[in-house]
Amino acid sequence: MKKTILPILLLLGLSSFSYSQKFTNPQGREVIFMSEANEMAMYELYIDPTGFGCECDQITIFLHGIANNKYITDDGNIEIIVSDKSLNIKVIDESECCNVKKGIYTVEEK
């Protein structure tokens, strides 16, 4: 129970910041993209690991901005393209269970 509550609380807390945006894919997986760079000039993608089918701690992926609304990890394994209402995530190596899943994530309409 505690393992499920912690990521949910973290996601809810982060989603309240004005510079973050929560996206959901068709399978119900949630990610939060921090649209402002941190002190290391990197952008952060938080992944809710609930329901991954393996033991996962909180997952944070650090990305570099390489073009307007396009970001990539140091190893080039994950690339994201951000628009106002969607996040397109490309993953080359999907063999690691505790990793973001590729696909289109969208903003929930209210």
Side-chain angles (χ1 to χ4, degrees):
M1 181 73 171
K2 287 183 182 178
K3 289 183 182 182
T4 303
I5 294 173
L6 180 61
I8 292 170
L9 290 175
L10 180 60
L11 286 172
L12 289 174
L14 289 172
S15 64
S16 65
F17 293 117
S18 61
Y19 57 90
S20 68
Q21 183 67 55
K22 182 170 74 170
F23 299 87
T24 307
N25 73 1
Q27 291 76 32
R29 292 204 170 106
E30 294 181 345
V31 299
I32 294 177
F33 179 68
M34 305 300 283
S35 58
E36 291 183 10
N38 63 20
E39 62 276 355
M40 299 179 297
M42 298 185 83
Y43 297 84
E44 297 172 74
L45 182 69
Y46 295 91
I47 296 100
D48 182 355
T50 307
F52 271 41
C54 54
E55 288 291 322
C56 302
D57 293 326
Q58 174 62 45
I59 303 167
T60 305
I61 295 173
F62 296 95
L63 305 122
H64 294 284
I66 59 170
N68 191 24
N69 296 326
K70 190 173 185 179
Y71 307 86
I72 195 165
T73 56
D74 280 341
D75 62 4
N77 188 48
I78 300 167
E79 178 183 299
I80 65 171
I81 299 171
V82 182
S83 72
D84 289 340
K85 299 289 182 187
S86 69
L87 184 70
N88 185 349
I89 300 177
K90 298 177 183 177
V91 182
I92 296 170
D93 179 7
E94 294 186 293
S95 61
E96 184 181 340
C97 182
C98 295
N99 197 358
V100 67
K101 306 305 179 195
K102 70 178 178 181
I104 305 292
Y105 293 70
T106 57
V107 174
E108 290 182 20
E109 296 294 329
K110 294 182 179 186

